[in-house]
Every structure is written in C-alpha cells, then in structure tokens.
Amino acid sequence: MRVRTAVIPCAGKGTRFQPITRTVPKELLPIVAKPALQLVVEECAGAGIDHVVLVSSHAKPAIAAFALDVTEHMPGMRMSVAYQDEPLGLGHAVGCARAAVGDEPFAVLLPDELMGDSSLLAQMIDVCERTGGSVVGLKQVPREEVPAYGVIDPSGEMNADGVVAVRTMVEKPSLAEAPSDLIIIGRYVLTNDVFDLIDQVQPGAKGEIQLTDALRVQAASGPFHGVLSRIQRHDTGNPLGWLTAVVDIALDDPTLSAPFESWLRERLAP
Ligand code: UTP
C-alpha cells in the first residue's frame, strides 16, 4: 500500500525555547524566512506525500493558521489538524492523528529535526512499501553518545543502501548495555497497526505514552527495518542547534551567502 500521509507532532510545550514559545510555537521558529515546519512539509512533498496531519494543541493556534497558509500556497498538499491538548508523549500525539490518517501506512516526522532533502524519507517509504513493515530513520553516533538516545538492536548486517533489519530497540541504554551505535532519529514510516499498539501502551513514569514501546511490539512480531541517514541533519530542538541550522542554511542561500560570509569573517577575525 502506498504511503501518502505524514503526521507531524507539534503539540509539545517547547520548554527549552522559553520565553519565545509562550507566544510563538517552536515548530514555527524562522529558518531565515521560512518557518521550520515549512521545511518539514516540503521534505514530505519531495517524498511523494500529499496529505499532512499536524498534531497541535488549542494553546498553539498559529499551527492551524500555518496549515491554512500551506493549503493556499502549496498546490496539491492537503492539510489536516488533529488536537492533543495535553502533551502526553510522542506515542499519544501520533495516536491523536488516527482518524485523520485512516487505514493506510503513514510517515511521522519530528519537526525539530531538519533534513537536507527528501531522500531519506523517500527511501524509508520505499522500504516500508516493499517489506510491509515499519521503518525508522537511523544515525550512527560515537559510542559514548548512545546513552542519550533510543538505540536499535540490529538482527543482521546493514546492506550497501544503509538498510538493516531491527530485532528490537532500547530507550537510553547504559553504555555497557547499548546494543549498537545506531540511534533512532525523528523520521518513521509506520504500518497502521501501530495505532492499536499505542492504545495498549502503559504510561511511563512521567505519564507519557512513548512511541518506542509500540514500535518494540511491532519489531518483535514482523518485518521492521532501519535506514541509515547519510544526509545533513540539524537538531533544532534547542537554541544552539537552531542557531547552527540558521547559519548553515544562510551560508547555502545564493542571495545571502556572500554578504553573510563576509560579515561573519570580519566578526570572527582576531
Ligand atoms: P520534543 O520533546 O522535542 O518537544 O518533541 P517539546 O516537548 O515541545 O520540547 P521541550 O522538551 O519542552 O523543550 C518533539 C516533537 O514532538 C512534539 C513536539 O511539539 C515536538 O515538535 N510533541 C512532543 C507532541 O506533539 N506531543 C507530545 O506529547 C510530545
């Protein structure tokens, strides 16, 4: 079955970006002249997605206004908004999109991770359509960084295209217990049975319903793969990552790069 819908969770509180997130959602912070969320919707379009479901909260009306703006300015992209008024975790946020998604497999993109292009998502969609199982995006990190992330336990060798079968995954393992150096990044392509599994997930210590708990059940019972990302990626979920993304993208912008670089050189000169 073709993957045509993407869910983008946008209902979090954005505490690491206060005070701006008291009035402007983190997902709409500007990357030069575009909201970060727009870059993520463009990534979806480039991978053949034509329906995006934004999971928002009524405390963030600017997200629904953004959806309307995309409808007006991006022909061929259908936008839906689903609501999660309490940020009860990523699994819960995805579960809130169920009615809007319907019965098909779908992608999930975390909007505080920006990818250089649509190639990873397109490859993940292809693997999902060929294998009939869910797929997660992966990044290889230095071993000592692994305990901060969700980590996969591969069940075989990675092929030349960066695709690897996944046995299971562990959230924030100790260094000694980490099954690999492959962490799960904010890109997923999921089969529709994940919704029933999310309904069965027990809330964790902070009352949060984690997506990984549902994915672990999927991995134990059918095909489940990871795809290694080889593209530029920015984590804009914290101020330093956001700033790095803005500078990097400005340096690639044909109208900004020359004057910006010359200012930057002068600013950094000893
Ligand atoms: P984050 O954990 O990075 O976002 O979730 P946050 O909670 O808003 O940030 P901090 O930790 O308070 O600074 C990644 C994405 O998932 C969404 C967030 O809006 C963000 O885009 N999210 C997270 C939800 O939609 N619902 C949730 O319950 C949790």
Side-chain angles (χ1 to χ4, degrees):
M1 201 182 257
R2 279 196 59 202
V3 179
R4 308 188 59 165
T5 295
V7 173
I8 307 183
C10 301
K13 288 204 153 63
T15 44
R16 282 168 292 173
F17 269 101
Q18 280 181 356
I20 187 155
T21 43
R22 291 206 287 266
T23 45
V24 179
K26 170 172 90 170
E27 298 77 9
L28 297 180
L29 289 177
I31 306 294
V32 190
K34 286 185 186 179
L37 191 50
Q38 187 170 332
L39 297 174
V40 181
V41 173
E42 288 173 2
E43 179 189 340
C44 291
I49 300 277
D50 60 10
H51 177 211
V52 168
V53 183
L54 302 178
V55 180
S56 183
S57 111
H58 286 97
K60 297 168 86 170
I63 298 287
F66 169 81
L68 208 58
D69 183 70
V70 173
T71 309
E72 284 171 11
H73 293 100
M74 206 189 253
M77 184 58 86
R78 184 159 70 92
M79 300 295 290
S80 305
V81 182
Y83 285 94
Q84 182 201 32
D85 280 330
E86 269 286 293
L88 293 176
L90 192 56
H92 185 260
V94 171
C96 292
R98 184 173 197 161
V101 169
D103 296 334
E104 298 177 2
F106 60 100
V108 176
L109 294 89
L110 302 193
D112 49 9
E113 292 179 39
L114 299 182
M115 301 291 169
D117 59 42
S118 303
S119 58
L120 173 69
L121 184 60
Q123 189 186 359
M124 291 172 63
I125 288 174
D126 181 58
V127 173
C128 175
E129 290 174 351
R130 277 192 295 109
T131 62
S134 289
V135 183
V136 291
L138 301 174
K139 185 182 171 217
Q140 195 157 26
V141 296
R143 194 96 198 166
E144 61 276 13
E145 290 178 22
V146 160
Y149 298 98
V151 184
I152 64 142
D153 180 5
S155 63
E157 290 295 311
M158 182 176 282
N159 74 15
D161 295 327
V163 180
V164 63
V166 175
R167 182 182 296 118
T168 188
M169 52 219 103
V170 198
E171 217 28 81
K172 301 190 171 65
S174 69
L175 206 49
E177 286 166 352
S180 74
D181 57 359
L182 297 168
I183 64 161
I184 300 173
I185 58 174
R187 296 295 180 269
Y188 308 80
V189 180
L190 304 177
T191 52
N192 204 272
D193 58 314
V194 76
F195 286 123
D196 282 342
L197 298 172
I198 288 170
D199 285 346
Q200 290 158 29
V201 169
Q202 293 302 313
K206 290 189 210 147
E208 291 202 340
I209 295 179
Q210 300 296 351
L211 182 59
T212 323
D213 289 343
L215 300 189
R216 208 177 291 116
V217 180
Q218 281 192 326
S221 58
F224 196 107
H225 292 83
V227 178
L228 184 66
S229 168
R230 303 175 203 265
I231 52 176
Q232 167 79 283
R233 167 180 171 272
H234 288 292
D235 178 356
T236 56
N238 60 81
L240 180 61
W242 170 81
L243 189 60
T244 311
V246 174
V247 169
D248 195 45
I249 288 169
L251 286 171
D252 282 341
D253 184 316
T255 59
L256 293 174
S257 62
F260 180 51
E261 190 180 330
S262 103
W263 175 84
L264 202 56
R265 281 189 192 285
E266 210 167 293
R267 174 67 180 77
L268 297 175

